Amino acid sequence: MTETVLVLGGAGYIGTALVARLLRDTKFNVRVLDDLMYGGDSLLPYFNFKERFSFIRGDIRKVDPTGLLRGVDYVVNVAALVGEPICKKFPVEATQINLDANIRMAEASERAGVKQFVFSSTCSNYGLSKSDELIDEAGELQPISLYAETKVQSEQKLLHDFKKMKVTVLRFATAYGLASRVRFDLLLHEFIRDAWKKKKIVVYGAESWRPMVHVDDIARGIITVLGNNKDGAEVYNVGSNNQNFRKIELANIVAKRLGAEIESLPTIKDPRNYKVSFDKISKKFGYNTLFDPVIATDQIAGALETGVIDDRILFESVNVKQEG
Ligand SMILES: NC(=O)c1ccc[n+]([C@@H]2O[C@H](COP(=O)([O-])OP(=O)(O)OC[C@H]3O[C@@H](n4cnc5c(N)ncnc54)[C@H](O)[C@@H]3O)[C@@H](O)[C@H]2O)c1
């Protein structure tokens, strides 16, 4: 019988990239639950997959899991308040959604006989690293934001409290690239927006390291682990060793393609600095990434130049709108 994947948060940036890949590259049926915080346009193409795709509108804090989980083999949770700005603005909801509801869904999944629960965590958990060495999955976690704190606490519960159901924790690098919901509040995309609109990129903490990964490579990473976790609870970083960049290198890529001036300021607005090893997922599954920031910058620049991406997308596809 065809197996079913439930994607919690499937209308989001990573969620839509995942749903596209699941429908195109696998035989799974796909069920999406999302409360459509950022609208539902991103899901329109998937309804054409008829009986393989279904959508339920709901909030992971409140939804009755019984019907939702009936017939579900795998759960992927990419529903969250994502990034520090929105977590800072709504701290109570951030803990409720990113931590409490995540664990509630995992408990209900285990009771319903789900085979595997895949949790979307983040390399932001590594926080501040003083060393230039690559940090692997066993490295120290130093969450320096409420956002990362909710992720670290979720991980700890998922890795220790679930014995019957397989749990896979994926720590994604910072995403970039196009999907049917795009976000312009991510590092590379902010540089692209500023280069396009102001012909100037301001870089804070230019020498800080940040691992990067294309959203479609994240989707492929999630599919790689589905059904492949034979060892109980496991953690994998998702990205590639050769996509650890200093912020200034990313600014240079964007400036070269879009012709902008770069101003590097000593102020560090975001103190995160970490260089990550992605050997584990690559050695275990032969996983490798297919995109890089040069290709993605060129694609997004092309979409801006042809008007596919307009000001509405540039300024409204963000998790927290800037004042003024
Ligand atoms: N984008 C990145 O760079 C990145 C990096 C590392 C980890 N992650 C993780 O990946 C996951 C997805 O991130 P994203 O970039 O796609 O974010 P996103 O904001 O685009 O998507 C989140 C989705 O969750 C939904 N959602 C939020 N609260 C909900 C609730 N209470 N009930 C139901 N649905 C709800 C939203 O409507 C949205 O569709 C998150 O867990 C995030 O922490 C993202």
Side-chain angles (χ1 to χ4, degrees):
M1 217 175 79
T2 310
E3 293 184 307
T4 297
V5 182
L6 170 65
V7 184
L8 304 170
Y13 177 47
I14 292 172
T16 49
L18 173 63
V19 171
R21 277 274 176 189
L22 283 167
L23 290 169
R24 220 169 57 207
D25 296 353
T26 78
K27 294 198 170 7
F28 292 123
N29 290 327
V30 180
R31 193 176 296 171
V32 167
L33 175 107
D34 200 294
D35 66 353
L36 303 184
M37 278 177 65
Y38 310 111
D41 307 13
S42 58
L43 291 172
L44 291 176
Y46 310 130
F47 286 90
N48 291 341
F49 284 81
K50 297 184 190 146
E51 62 282 346
R52 282 192 61 209
F53 175 77
S54 59
F55 175 70
I56 298 145
R57 185 170 188 176
D59 183 325
I60 58 167
R61 289 172 293 180
K62 299 181 195 141
V63 68
D64 175 3
T66 315
L68 178 69
L69 289 163
R70 193 166 296 127
V72 169
D73 298 276
Y74 304 96
V75 174
V76 179
N77 186 9
V78 282
L81 296 192
V82 184
E84 185 54 2
I86 195 166
C87 289
K88 217 169 163 178
K89 192 164 176 188
F90 303 107
V92 173
E93 290 81 356
T95 305
Q96 286 173 348
I97 296 169
N98 296 8
L99 175 60
D100 303 340
N102 174 45
I103 300 304
R104 182 175 100 90
M105 293 311 301
E107 287 168 350
S109 299
E110 187 168 64
R111 279 197 303 276
V114 166
K115 294 172 190 158
Q116 184 185 8
F117 187 89
V118 180
F119 172 58
S120 54
S121 193
T122 168
C123 288
S124 291
N125 293 351
Y126 297 119
L128 289 169
S129 167
K130 291 190 182 56
S131 116
D132 261 5
E133 298 293 303
L134 298 182
I135 308 168
D136 69 15
E137 288 79 353
E140 188 188 355
L141 301 182
Q142 302 185 70
I144 52 168
S145 61
L146 173 61
Y147 169 60
E149 194 58 59
T150 62
K151 295 290 179 177
V152 169
Q153 287 184 28
S154 282
E155 285 192 8
Q156 283 163 352
K157 280 191 151 307
L158 286 171
L159 294 173
H160 296 114
D161 295 357
F162 293 82
K163 304 290 174 227
K164 265 180 25 212
M165 179 178 66
K166 305 254 181 255
V167 168
T168 311
V169 168
L170 299 179
R171 293 184 189 140
F172 306 143
T174 300
Y176 61 84
L178 295 175
S180 52
R181 158 167 153 80
V182 67
R183 287 179 49 199
F184 271 92
D185 52 3
L186 294 162
L187 185 63
L188 184 75
H189 292 186
E190 286 183 336
F191 288 167
I192 292 173
R193 183 194 58 211
D194 292 349
W196 176 250
K197 294 303 289 183
K198 303 179 190 154
K199 288 280 159 217
K200 181 171 176 177
I201 303 170
V202 179
V203 187
Y204 300 91
E207 297 305 314
S208 301
W209 287 100
R210 190 68 76 77
M212 305 292 291
V213 65
H214 194 281
V215 64
D216 184 57
D217 285 323
I218 293 182
R220 289 175 49 257
I222 296 169
I223 291 173
T224 298
V225 303
L226 275 188
N228 275 326
N229 189 344
K230 305 276 184 272
D231 311 326
E234 279 285 351
V235 184
Y236 297 96
N237 295 328
V238 180
S240 58
N241 290 0
N242 62 4
Q243 289 197 49
N244 283 292
F245 291 95
R246 290 189 191 274
K247 286 186 191 171
I248 192 71
E249 296 177 287
L250 294 169
N252 280 328
I253 290 170
V254 173
K256 190 168 171 206
R257 174 60 180 81
L258 283 164
E261 169 201 343
I262 295 177
E263 185 182 1
S264 176
L265 292 180
T267 337
I268 297 181
K269 267 180 138 181
D270 176 349
R272 281 177 294 170
N273 178 41
Y274 42 92
K275 216 173 159 185
V276 175
S277 164
F278 299 94
D279 285 343
K280 185 173 173 187
I281 191 167
S282 146
K283 286 188 179 144
K284 185 134 181 192
F285 301 114
Y287 168 83
N288 59 347
T289 53
L290 301 178
F291 284 88
D292 65 47
V294 176
I295 300 171
T297 299
D298 188 48
Q299 289 175 330
I300 297 171
L304 286 163
E305 286 156 358
T306 51
V308 172
I309 296 176
D310 57 12
D311 280 5
R312 180 183 55 85
I313 295 178
L314 270 185
F315 294 104
E316 291 183 17
S317 296
V318 290
N319 287 359
V320 177
K321 289 201 183 107
Q322 284 175 355
E323 308 291 331

